[in-house]
């Protein structure tokens, strides 16, 4: 199979970054503006985190949820713009872990529609993490241009 022409490869990577980033920018913006629901949903998870990391006691659940939303918006926007894509992807992947564990603990739910819904959302976030990992691992390939 022939290699993709460098121009198309660059466009494909840019579109992939924008598609990934859109989820984080949109979701982060929504949580920033409306943090109370997510903060309430994260309460149990954050209690466990505070036992492990007492420094978190300095912050309310709402502040922690908003800080995570700020990471999603800023790193997502930078990823879309192609600014330090590997670093932005790493920040987003790191922030996706607590987001996913707090929001979609399907393993705590009895069998039924709620568990299935949470498991589906958990798996969607796992797929996002896979996309971010691809950005980190593959980076931006530099094409060598020859004159003439």
């Amino acid at each position: 199979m022939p290699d993709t022409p460098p121009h198309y490869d660059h466009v494909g990577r840019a579109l992939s970054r924008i598609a990934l980033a859109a989820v984080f920018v949109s979701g982060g913006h929504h949580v920033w503006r409306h943090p109370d629901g997510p903060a309430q949903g994260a309460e149990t998870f954050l209690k466990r985190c505070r036992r492990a990391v007492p420094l978190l006691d300095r912050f309310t659940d709402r502040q922690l949820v908003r800080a995570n939303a700020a990471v999603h918006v800023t790193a997502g926007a930078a990823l879309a713009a192609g600014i330090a894509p590997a670093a932005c992807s790493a920040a987003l992947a790191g922030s996706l872990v607590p987001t996913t564990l707090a929001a979609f603990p399907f393993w705590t739910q009895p069998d039924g529609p709620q568990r299935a819904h949470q498991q589906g959302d958990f798996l969607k976030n796992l797929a996002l993490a896979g996309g971010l990992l691809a950005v980190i691992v593959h980076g931006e390939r530099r094409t060598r241009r020859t004159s003439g």
Side-chain angles (χ1 to χ4, degrees):
M1 180 181 239
D3 287 338
T4 306
H7 175 71
Y8 294 130
D9 188 52
H10 179 71
V11 170
R13 286 176 187 274
L15 291 174
S16 296
R17 284 194 320 269
I18 291 167
L20 267 172
V23 174
F24 291 99
V25 172
S26 174
H29 179 258
H30 178 77
V31 170
W32 179 265
R33 293 191 60 198
H34 308 284
D36 294 330
Q40 186 178 13
E43 183 179 8
T44 301
F45 175 77
L46 290 173
K47 280 182 184 175
R48 282 184 273 145
C49 290
R50 284 186 174 92
R51 284 195 294 268
V53 183
L55 177 67
L56 295 177
D57 284 333
R58 296 179 180 183
F59 306 99
T60 67
D61 291 355
R62 192 173 194 269
Q63 288 172 321
L64 292 170
V65 164
R66 277 187 124 190
N68 195 55
V71 170
H72 284 196
V73 170
T74 56
L79 177 63
I83 300 168
C88 291
S89 294
L92 290 168
S95 72
L96 194 57
V97 172
T99 299
T100 303
L101 294 175
F104 309 119
F106 69 90
W107 54 91
T108 65
Q109 301 293 317
D111 282 338
Q114 179 67 16
R115 181 184 177 111
H117 182 74
Q118 282 193 4
Q119 187 174 21
D121 286 338
F122 182 95
L123 292 172
K124 287 176 192 174
N125 279 9
L126 185 61
L128 285 171
L132 293 168
L133 182 61
V135 173
I136 294 166
V137 170
H138 296 293
E140 291 294 313
R141 287 188 198 148
R142 302 285 180 224
T143 57
R144 207 168 120 200
R145 299 203 172 146
T146 57
S147 58

